[in-house]
Amino acid sequence: MNGMAAALLGKPARIGAVARVTLTQLVRMRLFLVPAAFSVLFLALQFIPYQEGLGIEFRGVAQLELLKDIALGCMQLFGLVFSVAATALLIPRDTEDRILYTILCKPVPRFDYLCGKLLGVWGLIFLMVLFMDGMMCLLVGMREAAITAELTQALAAGGYSAQDMQPYLEQVAAAGNDWNTQRGILALLLNFGVLTSLTLLISCFTSGTIVSIIFALGAYIIGMFQGNLFSIIFSGQGITPFMRGIEHTFAVFVPDFSIFTVSDSAAGGAVLPWGMLGGMALVAAGYMLVHLLTATWLFKRKEF
């Protein structure tokens, strides 16, 4: 009983140690230069001479929406590429550097090793997205303040009273930073966590980094259009319980990634309730656990 308690108490420490090593490995690869490049892009957007054909009352709203759309697009692209490429590289690099043998010759269960790898990758993704999110909020806030000042001056020159200006100023504020966009970014992070765990699972039965990347990207594309794919396959045949069972079994291992892609809608004004986000978190946790358990089963049978 004491041995079991010691093993359970030591599990978080082992997972944390592997996660720290993984995080250090990824930092040494200078991957932080990627969000730095995006930051330069965000700064450049501040100096673009926007041309708007709208009246003075609606000036600036499109600018703020464009800034957020580009920032969120950069986060999505970065998370997709990094989740797949970095995770697919981890086990082959550990094998090549002999780190894997050093870890596994110690009393470190395979599950703890894989879970630590997953947390290390997701942790760095979280930090980089947090940095990019902070940069986006800073620049959108600066742009919003400048637009508000310009709009107030233009409306005052047009004879608007302070009360008449208020609806237009509120429209600019609504297009700027808001907590709803942050909820969309949280959904993005859940998406990256699921994609990371899926890539880790794939890397446990493939023979190389490139093959793992190709399979993971293919699974992501299939997952994004999973519903449409099964509709095409089963079209004209009717949905029988057997076919529905095949679809649900397939969805256990290849997630429906489209349920996590709500950041654009959130930035556009669609409200994301906390209950909906909590449901996404439970689904993401379920997928990651299934992927980790399956990867552990495969990893125990893999020869190094």
Side-chain angles (χ1 to χ4, degrees):
M1 188 70 178
N2 291 334
M4 183 181 296
L8 291 175
L9 291 174
K11 184 177 286 291
R14 290 192 297 268
I15 293 174
V18 176
R20 285 193 299 272
V21 171
T22 304
L23 189 61
T24 302
Q25 283 179 312
L26 296 173
V27 169
R28 286 175 179 171
M29 294 167 62
R30 301 182 184 276
L31 295 170
F32 56 84
L33 294 176
V34 177
F38 287 142
S39 301
V40 174
L41 172 62
F42 295 164
L43 288 171
L45 291 175
Q46 295 293 311
F47 302 101
I48 294 178
Y50 294 92
Q51 299 293 329
E52 298 188 33
L54 301 174
I56 59 172
E57 298 90 345
F58 302 100
R59 259 181 216 167
V61 174
Q63 297 179 27
L64 296 173
E65 291 177 348
L66 178 61
L67 282 173
K68 291 198 295 184
D69 287 344
I70 293 177
L72 291 171
C74 289
M75 292 181 199
Q76 291 174 356
L77 178 62
F78 161 75
L80 171 62
V81 174
F82 185 84
S83 299
V84 172
T87 310
L89 187 65
L90 286 177
I91 295 179
R93 173 156 289 196
D94 278 2
T95 305
E96 181 182 343
D97 296 341
R98 316 296 291 182
I99 296 175
L100 180 63
Y101 305 104
T102 303
I103 293 175
L104 296 184
C105 71
K106 298 178 180 180
V108 179
R110 267 55 171 178
F111 178 85
D112 294 1
Y113 170 77
L114 293 174
C115 188
K117 288 294 178 184
L118 174 63
L119 289 178
V121 176
W122 192 84
L124 187 58
I125 292 174
F126 174 80
L127 291 175
M128 290 188 174
V129 170
L130 184 65
F131 172 78
M132 295 169 67
D133 183 26
M135 183 63 69
M136 178 191 73
C137 292
L138 175 63
L139 297 182
V140 169
M142 292 169 56
R143 194 69 179 178
E144 180 185 345
I147 289 171
T148 301
E150 293 173 4
L151 182 59
T152 302
Q153 184 178 3
L155 292 176
Y160 285 75
S161 65
Q163 185 176 0
D164 294 335
M165 293 181 192
Q166 195 60 31
Y168 304 110
L169 296 178
E170 289 177 356
Q171 190 174 30
V172 172
N177 292 316
D178 64 291
W179 286 109
N180 203 50
T181 302
Q182 300 305 311
R183 295 178 192 177
I185 293 174
L186 286 177
L188 264 185
L189 288 169
L190 295 175
N191 183 31
F192 299 152
V194 175
L195 181 57
T196 300
S197 66
L198 178 61
T199 307
L200 190 65
L201 168 60
I202 291 172
S203 67
C204 287
F205 64 81
T206 52
S207 57
T209 302
I210 302 300
V211 178
S212 298
I213 291 174
I214 293 173
F215 272 66
L217 289 176
Y220 180 77
I221 294 172
I222 291 173
M224 282 294 295
F225 303 100
Q226 191 177 116
N228 295 334
L229 178 64
F230 279 102
S231 297
I232 294 173
I233 294 175
F234 298 149
S235 61
Q237 303 177 23
I239 304 298
T240 65
F242 175 73
M243 294 177 177
R244 185 65 68 188
I246 293 176
E247 182 179 356
H248 290 168
T249 302
F250 181 81
V252 169
F253 295 97
V254 181
D256 184 358
F257 287 103
S258 63
I259 65 176
F260 301 107
T261 55
V262 295
S263 57
D264 291 336
S265 301
V271 178
L272 298 182
W274 282 112
M276 177 182 177
L277 199 61
M280 287 184 188
L282 290 175
V283 171
Y287 272 126
M288 287 189 281
L289 181 59
V290 169
H291 293 159
L292 274 175
L293 292 175
T294 308
T296 302
W297 183 81
L298 292 170
F299 199 65
K300 288 180 179 177
R301 287 153 181 79
K302 191 169 184 178
E303 296 182 2
F304 295 99

